[in-house]
Amino acid sequence: MPTESDTHYDPSLGNKFIFVTGGVMSGLGKGITAASTGRLLKNAGFDVTAVKIDPYLNVDAGTMNPYQHGEVYVLEDGGEVDLDLGNYERFLDIDMTSDHNITTGKTYQHVIEKERAGDYLGKTVQIIPHITDDIKRRIREAAKGTDVCIIEVGGTVGDIEGMPYLEALRQFAHEEPEENVLFTHVTLVPYSKNGEQKTKPTQHSVKEVRSIGLQPDVIVGRCEDRLDPETKEKIALFCDIPTEAVFSNPDVEDVYHVPLMVEDEGLDQYVLEHFGLADEALPEGERANDWREIVTTEKDGEIDIALVGKYDLEDAYMSIHESLKHAGFEIGVDVTVHWVAADELSEGHDGQLEGMDGVIVPGGFGMRGSEGKIRAVQYARENDVPFLGLCLGFQMAVVEYARNVLGFEGAHSAEMEEDTPHPVIDILPEQYEVEDMGGTMRLGEHTTVIEPETLAYDLYGDTSCSERHRHRYEVNPEYFDAFEDEPLVFSGTAGNRMEILELEEHPFFVGTQFHPEYTSRPGQPSPPFLGLVEAVIEESDDDDDTDPEATDTDAETEVTH
């Protein structure tokens, strides 16, 4: 909460709530709009948190295929949640909890458990008031201790599964003082064939919202370009809001530029005035400006990183993409990620890795693509290409080394091949009796002890680190002795559990059982990702120094391969 010396914020003003809904179509960027609004309010000196409402019946995102909802993002407390919470953590620079993700599965499960326990004796349990009351309770509890809570409602207005949530929001607005609640509606403003910005989709979407009993206070139009003044006026007229409450959210080169765009539009100032907080905020000249400085860093050169995975979908590996971007911000280079199909590599198509400056093998589950990932590890190891293996990537690095260096023919993970003669990766002992799939892995933040005088120690600058995990399998303790006195060393451990590996006399070869991508932030890049990008730059500089045809100018400016 802002201190008196910061903003003179009066706690008696109470929590402020911003509800963000979307219309016309999904995937418009409600989450980025919400996160950007929160970033600007944080810059103004307020404590901001966020809640993501997912109307699906799953209790959490843990059992979903990435093609359904993108990556499963893991929180510090072990919550497996929607990727939008990753955006909130990165934009707001906060650590969230499972309580900040509300799902229909969670809500109904809780209400039904209460009914079975007899808490509603004599009552008929219904959507209203029992489900809606539980939704409101969850929002208020997540908002405790902060000034502003931003609540994004997943899906689009009109979806049948979202109706209880919109009704809960209507009740919420009825219960709270008018100045404490603001409704933001994000809609699509497409172009006609003759280049005219069309407002009819927005009009119909707002009509749907109003039929439920909600009146948007702010409308954000997603369009290729900024909204024309006439477009804003037309939306304001037909949607019954002031023209100054209509904002543009045009396509930008990078999602991290969205806060800058909506700030230029004046969204933050309008929100502050609506809440009566304009006088409580830091003066504009004193507001934090580090975000703008970080995301607009001038880039000098470009590097190419191969991401060897199963899914040709950026959202499936969003946190990895963002972590590489954060490392690029720090060093001042553009990082281009090239997806390489692990399935194809299993057939020997190493040519897809030629010319890549670095290789990442990400986490995942199942047999498909595992042989390709092992081949990618081998390529990086044998060709001195900087390599980072994450979770399953870490495990496949162990398998590859066991097969091709230690000579353990047929070595594999027991997850992929139950009858392997050398299960160098085996199931965690505590998983033997586990039957349920949801929420039963080794999840959340755990501490790793790091050996001094190792690359891992250089990366983290400490003898320990705390990172987030999501796995059922580990390096088999029965094979620890086989790796003693090997160039491949385990430099990070958690008790009898191997957490970090590295390969001596290699430009950069690191694997982590944990997922460092989940804690990376703009301005605070993940150490393994920063180390990978730095190693690529160093290798590029070394190549330029040894190239007799390279000029001094080339060595200074050419990073691209």
Side-chain angles (χ1 to χ4, degrees), residues 210-516:
R210 295 173 75 177
S211 71
I212 299 168
L214 303 176
Q215 168 62 47
D217 300 297
V218 166
I219 293 175
V220 177
R222 286 285 291 111
C223 189
E224 293 179 23
D225 306 295
R226 289 181 184 268
L227 300 182
D228 297 331
E230 317 80 84
T231 303
K232 287 187 175 184
E233 290 175 6
K234 191 172 182 180
I235 290 174
L237 174 64
F238 283 96
C239 299
D240 198 23
I241 64 172
T243 303
E244 56 268 25
V246 181
F247 297 91
S248 306
N249 187 354
D251 293 346
V252 292
E253 180 182 333
D254 191 321
V255 294
Y256 293 124
H257 291 174
V258 174
L260 314 183
M261 185 65 66
V262 294
E263 182 180 35
D264 291 343
E265 286 269 316
L267 177 61
D268 54 333
Q269 195 60 32
Y270 189 87
V271 171
L272 290 171
E273 290 174 0
H274 174 91
F275 284 143
L277 297 180
D279 293 338
E280 316 295 329
L282 292 169
E284 290 191 24
E286 298 178 20
R287 296 182 188 179
N289 198 41
D290 53 337
W291 182 272
R292 182 179 292 271
E293 294 172 358
I294 291 167
V295 304
T296 58
T297 300
E298 187 174 342
K299 306 297 195 305
D300 182 16
E302 179 181 343
I303 64 174
D304 297 292
I305 302 294
L307 180 61
V308 183
K310 292 197 298 184
Y311 305 106
D312 184 12
L313 178 71
E314 183 173 334
D315 279 1
Y317 308 107
M318 176 176 284
S319 291
I320 294 174
H321 282 264
E322 299 308 306
S323 297
L324 288 168
K325 198 182 295 183
H326 304 160
F329 288 155
E330 188 76 9
I331 298 174
V333 297
D334 277 317
V335 182
T336 301
V337 181
H338 302 264
W339 181 73
V340 176
D343 284 350
E344 294 183 7
L345 276 187
S346 64
E347 300 171 6
H349 296 171
D350 286 351
Q352 296 180 71
L353 299 178
E354 291 179 5
M356 292 293 107
D357 299 307
V359 174
I360 292 179
V361 175
F365 299 91
M367 182 66 182
R368 186 168 70 85
S370 61
E371 290 299 325
K373 292 181 178 183
I374 292 169
R375 193 173 184 90
V377 174
Q378 182 180 5
Y379 177 89
R381 180 179 60 80
E382 294 180 346
N383 292 279
D384 287 340
V385 177
F387 166 80
L388 179 59
L390 307 169
C391 197
L392 181 63
F394 162 90
Q395 295 173 1
M396 294 300 95
V398 173
V399 171
E400 190 279 327
Y401 197 86
R403 286 184 185 180
N404 300 321
V405 179
L406 299 183
F408 292 161
E409 186 176 350
H412 216 314
S413 166
E415 177 190 6
M416 316 298 180
E417 192 174 323
E418 193 172 326
D419 298 326
T420 173
H422 294 289
V424 290
I425 304 296
D426 204 359
I427 195 165
L428 295 163
E430 61 266 33
Q431 294 285 317
Y432 289 157
E433 305 300 324
V434 171
E435 295 183 0
D436 289 345
M437 297 294 290
T440 56
M441 285 184 274
R442 183 173 180 242
L443 293 165
E445 184 178 85
H446 296 276
T447 298
T448 296
V449 176
I450 299 174
E451 290 292 324
E453 300 181 5
T454 61
L455 176 56
Y457 178 84
D458 292 340
L459 292 175
Y460 281 94
D462 204 343
T463 55
S464 69
C465 67
S466 293
E467 297 279 14
R468 301 176 190 181
H469 295 67
R470 186 175 185 249
H471 65 111
R472 293 188 194 277
Y473 289 77
E474 65 174 346
V475 179
N476 190 339
E478 294 181 9
Y479 287 85
F480 287 174
D481 291 345
F483 287 91
E484 285 189 7
D485 303 320
E486 285 293 326
L488 186 76
V489 298
F490 294 104
S491 52
T493 59
N496 199 39
R497 190 157 285 152
M498 300 297 105
E499 293 279 356
I500 306 175
L501 64 78
E502 56 188 68
L503 183 61
E504 297 174 352
E505 299 181 2
H506 189 283
F508 187 91
F509 191 98
V510 173
T512 66
Q513 181 60 82
F514 48 79
H515 290 268

Side-chain angles (χ1 to χ4, degrees), residues 11-24:
S12 67
L13 292 172
N15 290 109
K16 308 297 182 181
F17 299 91
I18 301 175
F19 296 103
V20 181
T21 57
V24 184

Side-chain angles (χ1 to χ4, degrees), residues 60-137:
D60 57 41
T63 58
M64 290 187 188
N65 185 297
Y67 280 120
Q68 293 286 315
H69 277 270
E71 74 173 2
V72 176
Y73 188 80
V74 179
L75 300 173
E76 186 177 89
D77 67 0
E80 297 172 285
V81 297
D82 184 85
L83 59 81
D84 276 315
L85 274 82
N87 286 324
Y88 292 137
E89 288 204 337
R90 289 186 283 266
F91 275 67
L92 302 179
D93 191 20
I94 58 175
D95 292 324
M96 307 181 79
T97 71
S98 300
D99 292 338
H100 292 87
N101 189 202
I102 301 173
T103 69
T104 299
K106 277 184 184 178
T107 302
Y108 277 69
Q109 184 182 57
H110 177 72
V111 170
I112 290 170
E113 286 173 353
K114 289 184 67 177
E115 186 274 330
R116 291 290 83 187
D119 290 6
Y120 305 123
L121 280 180
K123 297 179 180 177
T124 301
V125 181
Q126 298 177 288
I127 304 297
I128 303 170
H130 301 100
I131 295 298
T132 52
D133 282 353
D134 193 68
I135 293 168
K136 292 181 290 182
R137 173 189 64 82

